């Protein structure tokens, strides 16, 4: 059992009132709120030790470098990577995918090759692959889904061929909540010697990730969806690939030496970390991981699942509501539409009642087209949410429908 009262006290923003109502924050798939320890870490950095890292110029610079590199070790153990050098700090999931598409994509994709994604991908895991396909005259293929929002594995098997050079798949759909069978996909892909990137943006805060067990080639995620700062994220990549890949960006910190005609690049991980990063943001990842581990990843998963089941059961009692994404294997994302009502109209009324949800296509336009809808209302839960909040949300949806009738 989680001590939700105590947990909620750790997240100061949850005390807020919106239009006079207590905030019910159900937009956790967009970004999660931050516990006090994460906020304190960012503040402390600027109050006590703001310095640039990896310069070794003075005491505070060394101190900042040590704290920054400690985060790399925390992330390594959080996702169980084999080597520290396999953890690259980026600006987020989008940046990590662009790095892999630009660097690895350019290295391995040629004319006539094929890259496979699913139809449920976030735009971040579509557009970078489209760009590389356009440049290389390669083809982007999509795995379709069934009526419940589950990926069709046999269709994936049909798409695999000697032309397949890369697979990029979301671990969890940000619109449907579907958990994809990534281990099975990775195993199958590896039989064809095809490397796989997993977009873990919606998974990492909800379930335990073990990149060695998954045997994925790349795993990417954003810190802001796991209770840490915006603007920072992680690229995990197998050392053998990262070593082969050319740098994504050139500049300071990623070089050993620069001659005007040619430069020698740094070793991993610095080869992929050009320029001054968001130091405080990266430092905030450490307390966020500690917080989640303190609560317990399994306990988080369990509790969020109970919230999802309760919300699902209650929303299904409302006439005219259809849930989009009803696979058994789901994280705490509840997307729905209401007969004859526009998702954004419902969202506006929920907002006025203090309930924060997201409405629209959720950056998954191809999925929306495939489902033949323009958007959904999406409620997404975190472990600081409560069953009482689900009740408030359900009553707010009922009221919104009544008002729109
Ligand atoms: N992939 C998925 C599945 C997501 O949900 C998101 C964020 N909504 C992203 C990628 C992009 O993440 P970011 O904007 O933090 O780069």
């Amino acid at each position: 059992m989680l001590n939700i009262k105590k947990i909620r006290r750790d997240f100061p923003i949850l005390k807020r009132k919106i239009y006079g109502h207590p905030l019910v924050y159900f937009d956790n798939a967009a970004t999660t709120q931050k516990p006090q320890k994460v906020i304190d870490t960012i503040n402390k950095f600027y109050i006590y030790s703001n310095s640039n890292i990896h310069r070794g110029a003075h005491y505070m610079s060394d101190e900042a470098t040590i704290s920054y590199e400690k985060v790399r070790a925390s992330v390594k153990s959080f996702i169980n990577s084999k080597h520290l050098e396999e953890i690259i700090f980026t600006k987020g999931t989008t940046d990590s995918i662009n790095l892999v598409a630009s660097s690895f994509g350019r290295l391995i994709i040629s004319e006539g090759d094929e890259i496979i994604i699913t139809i449920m991908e976030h735009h971040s895991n579509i557009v970078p692959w489209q760009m590389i396909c356009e440049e290389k005259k390669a083809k982007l293929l999509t795995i379709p889904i069934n009526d419940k929002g589950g990926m069709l594995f046999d269709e994936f098997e049909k798409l695999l061929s000697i032309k397949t050079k890369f697979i990029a798949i979301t671990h969890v759909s940000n619109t449907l909540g579907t958990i994809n069978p990534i281990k099975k996909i990775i195993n199958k892909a590896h039989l064809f010697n095809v490397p796989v990137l997993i977009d873990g943006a919606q998974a990492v805060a909800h379930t335990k990730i073990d990149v060695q067990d998954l045997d994925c080639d790349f795993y990417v995620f954003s810190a802001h969806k796991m209770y840490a700062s915006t603007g920072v994220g992680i690229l995990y990549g197998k050392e053998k690939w990262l070593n082969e890949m050319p740098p994504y960006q050139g500049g300071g910190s990623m070089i050993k030496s620069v001659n005007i005609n040619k430069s020698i690049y740094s070793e991993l991980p610095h080869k992929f970390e050009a320029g001054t990063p968001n130091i405080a943001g990266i430092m905030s990842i450490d307390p966020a991981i500690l917080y989640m581990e303190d609560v317990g990843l399994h306990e988080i998963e369990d509790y969020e699942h109970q919230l999802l089941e309760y919300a699902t059961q209650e929303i299904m009692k409302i006439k005219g509501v259809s849930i989009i994404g009803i696979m058994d294997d789901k994280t705490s994302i509840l997307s729905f539409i209401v007969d004859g009502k526009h998702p954004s109209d419902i969202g506006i009324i929920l907002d006025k009642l203090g309930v924060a949800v997201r409405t629209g296509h959720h950056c998954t336009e191809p999925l929306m087209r495939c489902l033949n809808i323009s958007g959904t209302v999406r409620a997404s839960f975190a472990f600081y949410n409560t069953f009482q909040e689900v009740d408030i949300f359900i009553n707010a949806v009922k009221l919104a429908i009544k008002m729109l009738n």
Side-chain angles (χ1 to χ4, degrees):
M1 280 294 284
L2 303 189
N3 186 346
I4 302 295
K5 268 197 180 148
K6 184 198 164 297
I7 287 172
R8 288 182 69 83
R9 278 200 299 272
D10 292 336
F11 290 79
I13 208 168
L14 299 178
K15 293 190 201 84
R16 261 203 86 166
K17 293 224 160 126
I18 304 292
Y19 300 114
H21 300 279
L23 165 68
V24 173
Y25 188 76
F26 281 178
D27 196 18
N28 294 287
T31 197
T32 52
Q33 298 304 344
K34 320 303 170 200
Q36 189 66 52
K37 281 188 177 157
V38 165
I39 300 164
D40 288 347
T41 300
I42 297 167
N43 282 340
K44 198 175 147 205
F45 174 70
Y46 287 117
I47 292 169
Y48 291 108
S49 47
N50 176 42
S51 291
N52 212 329
I53 52 163
H54 298 140
R55 304 296 193 267
H58 52 79
Y59 185 89
M60 288 200 304
S61 171
D62 285 343
E63 192 177 66
T65 306
I66 290 167
S67 303
Y68 180 90
E69 288 302 328
K70 191 171 152 249
V71 182
R72 206 184 300 277
S74 301
V75 174
K76 172 191 181 287
S77 110
F78 184 57
I79 61 168
N80 192 33
S81 75
K82 196 167 176 185
H83 306 289
L84 197 60
E85 298 72 24
E86 294 175 321
I87 306 297
I88 311 291
F89 292 126
T90 65
K91 288 190 284 180
T93 307
T94 307
D95 192 38
S96 299
I97 298 172
N98 275 282
L99 190 164
V100 178
S102 295
S103 170
F104 196 59
R106 281 212 183 93
L107 194 69
I108 61 158
I109 304 295
S110 310
E111 187 169 344
D113 288 346
E114 293 174 351
I115 298 174
I116 300 178
I117 61 170
T118 74
I119 196 68
M120 68 175 88
E121 299 307 315
H122 188 279
H123 294 164
S124 310
N125 202 26
I126 301 175
V127 185
W129 304 115
Q130 280 177 341
M131 288 159 80
I132 202 76
C133 283
E134 207 168 302
E135 183 182 317
K136 298 284 186 171
K137 297 190 174 62
K139 241 173 134 178
L140 189 64
L141 306 179
T142 51
I143 310 167
I145 54 169
N146 61 25
D147 291 348
K148 291 179 164 183
M151 183 197 119
L152 292 168
F153 193 82
D154 48 347
E155 294 297 323
F156 163 61
E157 286 180 307
K158 281 186 213 159
L159 292 179
L160 260 176
S161 76
I162 50 159
K163 287 187 187 165
T164 313
K165 289 290 146 52
F166 198 73
I167 297 170
I169 283 187
T170 195
H171 192 165
V172 171
S173 157
N174 63 309
T175 300
L176 306 165
T178 307
I179 303 172
N180 281 318
I182 54 167
K183 205 166 166 181
K184 214 167 130 189
I185 295 166
I186 294 162
N187 282 341
K188 187 80 196 177
H190 286 174
L191 294 178
F192 285 70
N193 288 323
V194 178
V196 183
L197 175 142
I198 303 296
D199 171 355
Q202 294 296 341
V204 78
H206 306 283
T207 188
K208 177 79 191 124
I209 306 301
D210 182 332
V211 290
Q212 288 190 72
D213 178 55
L214 288 172
D215 197 27
C216 51
D217 298 275
F218 300 96
Y219 196 97
V220 299
F221 53 99
S222 302
H224 71 95
K225 293 186 199 279
M226 48 175 277
Y227 311 101
S229 173
T230 55
V232 290
I234 306 294
L235 160 65
Y236 157 79
K238 279 185 181 165
E239 194 184 25
K240 64 169 177 178
W241 297 133
L242 294 175
N243 270 330
E244 273 184 36
M245 286 158 59
Y248 172 47
Q249 292 181 323
S253 297
M254 54 73 73
I255 43 82
K256 264 187 190 152
S257 74
V258 177
N259 272 296
I260 211 62
N261 298 322
K262 185 163 172 54
S263 299
I264 299 171
Y265 307 134
S266 297
E267 306 287 328
L268 290 176
H270 307 293
K271 182 171 94 175
F272 291 108
E273 293 179 4
T276 301
N278 179 348
I279 303 168
I282 283 165
M283 284 181 182
S284 79
I285 296 174
D286 199 30
I289 287 177
L290 280 177
Y291 196 95
M292 283 189 287
E293 288 183 336
D294 226 31
V295 178
L297 259 304
H298 289 300
E299 285 76 5
I300 289 174
E301 196 171 1
D302 228 47
Y303 177 72
E304 289 178 348
H305 201 72
Q306 288 173 39
L307 284 177
L308 175 74
E309 287 209 327
Y310 179 59
T312 303
Q313 168 202 307
E314 292 305 305
I315 208 153
M316 279 188 340
K317 293 179 187 162
I318 306 175
K319 209 171 141 238
V321 167
S322 307
I323 298 176
I324 305 298
I326 51 165
M327 289 295 283
D328 289 335
D329 246 0
K330 272 183 75 171
T331 58
S332 51
I333 286 175
L334 180 65
S335 255
F336 63 96
I337 51 173
V338 183
D339 278 351
K341 310 283 178 284
H342 201 282
S344 65
D345 291 338
I346 294 175
I348 289 166
I349 298 174
L350 294 191
D351 179 43
K352 294 288 183 292
L353 297 166
V355 181
V357 293
R358 176 145 176 211
T359 60
H361 55 60
H362 316 298
C363 297
T364 53
E365 280 191 53
L367 173 64
M368 294 292 123
R369 270 186 213 105
C370 160
L371 297 168
N372 207 16
I373 54 178
S374 63
T376 75
V377 182
R378 182 187 70 186
S380 49
F381 316 113
F383 61 85
Y384 45 60
N385 291 129
T386 67
F387 290 90
Q388 290 91 318
E389 286 183 314
V390 173
D391 289 336
I392 294 170
F393 157 70
I394 295 290
N395 285 330
V397 173
K398 285 180 188 162
L399 184 63
I401 294 172
K402 203 166 146 193
M403 285 171 75
L404 293 169
N405 272 338

